[in-house]
Amino acid sequence: MIKNDLFLRTLNGEKIERPPVWFMRQAGRYLPDYMVLKEKYSFFERVQNPDLAREITVMPIDQVGVDAAILFSDILVIAQSLGLKVVMVPGKGPVLQTATTEAEVAALNVENTEEFFHYAAPAIKAVKEGLDNRVPLIGFAGSPWTLLCYMVQGQGSRDFGEAKRFILNESDRAKVMLEKITEATIRYLQIQIDAGCDAVQIFDSWGGMLSPAMYDEFSLPYMKRITKAVKDRVPVILFAKGAWYALDKLHAAGASALGLSWTTSPDYARKVCGADVILQGNLDPTTLLALPDVVAKATKKMIDSFGGRNHIVNLGHGVLPTTSVDSAKAFVEAAKAYRY
Ligand code: 1CP
C-alpha cells in the first residue's frame, strides 16, 4: 500500500482534500545534488545504474516534497533501443544518429527492445525500494511523433522543419518509422509496468507543432495505440504540449488524465472533454523564476482556475534548469497548503 496515494486517487476520479503535486523534469535539471552526480557520471550511467537511478528519482521527494516520483531516464532511450546512437553533450543536449533513408528505417530493430532494456527492471525495483511506498512512481515514454522529431533531426530544433519535411515528402516511410517506435514504446512501457511503475505519462512534447490535420495523421493514431495497450494495467496521462485542438480525441482514446500547457485553459479543456475530465498542469515554468512568495500566489491562482476538483498540480512543461530550489518548494508547498 502506498502511504501518500493522492496522485493515484485523483487519477481514479476520487474526491480528495487537496490536489496532488509533482512536476515534469523534477528529477534532473535544477537540484544541486543532481549537479554533483552529473559531474561524476555520464547521463546513461545515471539512467542505467540502479543506485544512481534510485538516488536521482527519490531526490525531489526528499528535497522538495512532491506527491509522486518520475523515473529518471529520457524519452530518447527508445531511439537507442531501436539501434541509434544517442550522446548527451554537456551544455548542448542530446545528439543522435539519424534514420531517414529507406535502409536506415528498415534497420530500426523492434525485436531488440527487451534485450536493450535489460537494465530497466533492476533500476525500477531499486527506485521502488528507495521510495519505500511513500509515493507512487510514474513511468514514461515519448510519443512516436516526438521521437521521430529527434530521430530525423538528430538534435533539438526550434521548428523541427526537417522532421516535418520528412513526414510530408516521405509519409509512407515516416509511418513505417512511427509504427516501429509505437511497438518498441509499448514493449518498453510493459517492462516499466511489470517492474512496478504505478502510472505512465506519454510526453508528446512537440505535438503542438503540428496542424490539427497533421496531428490526426502523424501523432494521434500512435498515441491511441499506446494508450489502448496499457490503460487496463495502469492509469495513462497524455501530455501533448500545445495540441489543444486534440484534447477531445486524446480523452476519447482512454487517457486517465490530460496534461495541459499554460496556453490552454482548464475551462476550455472541460468544455471539449466533459466536466469530469481529470487535468494536469499548467503553471508556466518561467513563473518559477520569480521570488518564492510570487510563485506561491501564482500557484494558488492557477489551482483556483481548475475549479477545485479533478486536478493534478504541475507545470505546463518541464521545470527550467535556472529554477531555484526555494521557488520549486514554494510551488509544491502552495499546492500542499491548498484545501478544497
Ligand atoms: O545530463 C543532464 O542532466 C542532461 C539533461 C537531461 C535530463 C535531466 C536530459 C537531456 N534528459 C533528462 C531527463 C529527463 N528527460 C526526464 C527524467 C525525469 C526528470 O528529469 O524529472 C524526463 C521525463 C525527460 C523527458 C524528455 N527528454 C522530454 C519530454 C519532456 C519535455 O521536457 O518536453 C524531451 C523532449 C527530452 C529530450 C531531451 N533530453 C535531454 C534534453 C536536454 C532534451 C531536450 C532536447 C531539445 O529538444 O533541445
Side-chain angles (χ1 to χ4, degrees):
M1 273 300 290
I2 293 171
K3 288 173 205 111
N4 173 354
D5 61 354
L6 282 177
F7 171 75
L8 293 174
R9 281 159 61 205
T10 302
L11 285 171
N12 244 338
E14 289 174 38
K15 249 185 111 65
I16 51 177
E17 60 277 18
R18 65 152 174 102
V21 54
W22 70 282
F23 52 95
M24 294 186 275
R25 312 294 300 271
Q26 66 188 15
R29 283 199 154 179
Y30 69 102
L31 287 174
D33 288 345
Y34 173 73
M35 297 308 169
V36 174
L37 295 174
K38 189 170 161 166
E39 292 303 312
K40 278 177 58 182
Y41 306 97
S42 78
F43 185 82
F44 292 108
E45 261 179 284
R46 281 172 265 147
V47 169
Q48 297 183 8
N49 177 301
D51 293 330
L52 293 173
R54 171 176 51 209
E55 185 173 349
I56 298 169
T57 304
V58 176
M59 212 178 267
I61 315 306
D62 294 334
Q63 299 190 1
V64 288
V66 284
D67 294 310
I70 180 162
L71 180 65
F72 185 74
S73 179
D74 194 83
I75 62 166
L76 300 175
V77 293
I78 286 292
Q80 285 184 313
S81 79
L82 288 166
L84 301 180
K85 287 202 174 60
V86 180
V87 186
M88 293 294 185
V89 181
K92 179 173 194 273
V95 176
L96 295 78
Q97 187 187 352
T98 57
T100 52
T101 67
E102 194 172 345
E104 284 163 350
V105 172
L108 297 173
N109 184 6
V110 174
E111 296 311 320
N112 190 38
T113 310
E114 285 74 16
E115 196 180 317
F116 176 81
F117 286 112
H118 68 275
Y119 67 84
I124 292 165
K125 286 182 180 147
V127 168
K128 290 290 283 186
E129 268 172 42
L131 291 174
D132 192 24
N133 284 325
R134 282 177 289 167
V135 294
L137 176 63
I138 305 167
F140 73 94
S143 78
W145 156 247
T146 293
L147 257 295
L148 181 142
C149 282
Y150 289 99
M151 289 165 67
V152 168
Q153 206 90 32
Q155 56 185 5
S157 161
R158 261 190 173 296
D159 56 13
F160 287 101
E162 285 172 44
K164 285 191 187 171
R165 183 175 56 186
F166 179 73
I167 60 172
L168 287 165
N169 284 346
E170 305 289 352
S171 53
D172 291 345
R173 195 182 298 159
K175 285 174 189 171
V176 171
M177 200 157 149
L178 290 164
E179 292 284 340
K180 287 189 171 193
I181 299 168
T182 301
E183 175 62 25
T185 300
I186 290 171
R187 292 190 189 194
Y188 175 43
L189 289 172
Q190 300 289 13
I191 294 170
Q192 295 183 41
I193 298 164
D194 288 342
C197 288
D198 301 290
V200 296
Q201 173 159 318
I202 311 301
F203 288 86
D204 196 1
S205 301
W206 311 130
M209 294 216 166
L210 294 170
S211 67
M214 293 281 272
Y215 195 87
D216 282 352
E217 186 171 357
F218 293 100
S219 189
L220 183 68
Y222 310 97
M223 295 284 274
K224 270 186 174 164
R225 284 245 306 278
I226 294 169
T227 306
K228 193 162 171 249
V230 297
K231 75 179 179 58
D232 293 337
R233 300 192 66 196
V234 292
V236 180
I237 304 170
L238 298 179
F239 171 61
K241 182 175 174 267
W244 54 272
Y245 47 77
L247 284 172
D248 52 341
K249 294 173 184 173
L250 293 169
H251 180 56
S256 294
L258 297 174
L260 300 185
S261 53
W262 62 98
T263 57
T264 310
S265 74
D267 285 349
Y268 172 79
R270 293 223 162 93
K271 198 156 80 193
V272 294
C273 298
D276 292 332
V277 64
I278 295 157
L279 300 170
Q280 176 176 279
N282 70 343
L283 194 70
D284 176 349
T286 60
T287 311
L288 265 54
L289 303 179
L291 294 168
D293 59 323
V294 178
V295 172
K297 282 195 195 105
T299 304
K300 185 177 177 300
K301 201 167 160 194
M302 180 274 284
I303 301 174
D304 286 341
S305 77
F306 281 79
R309 67 207 167 88
N310 292 346
H311 179 211
I312 296 163
V313 175
N314 207 307
L315 301 174
H317 198 191
V319 65
L320 296 166
T322 46
T323 300
S324 75
V325 178
D326 283 345
S327 289
K329 277 188 187 158
F331 171 70
V332 172
E333 279 158 18
K336 291 173 102 168
Y338 201 95
R339 287 294 172 274
Y340 285 146

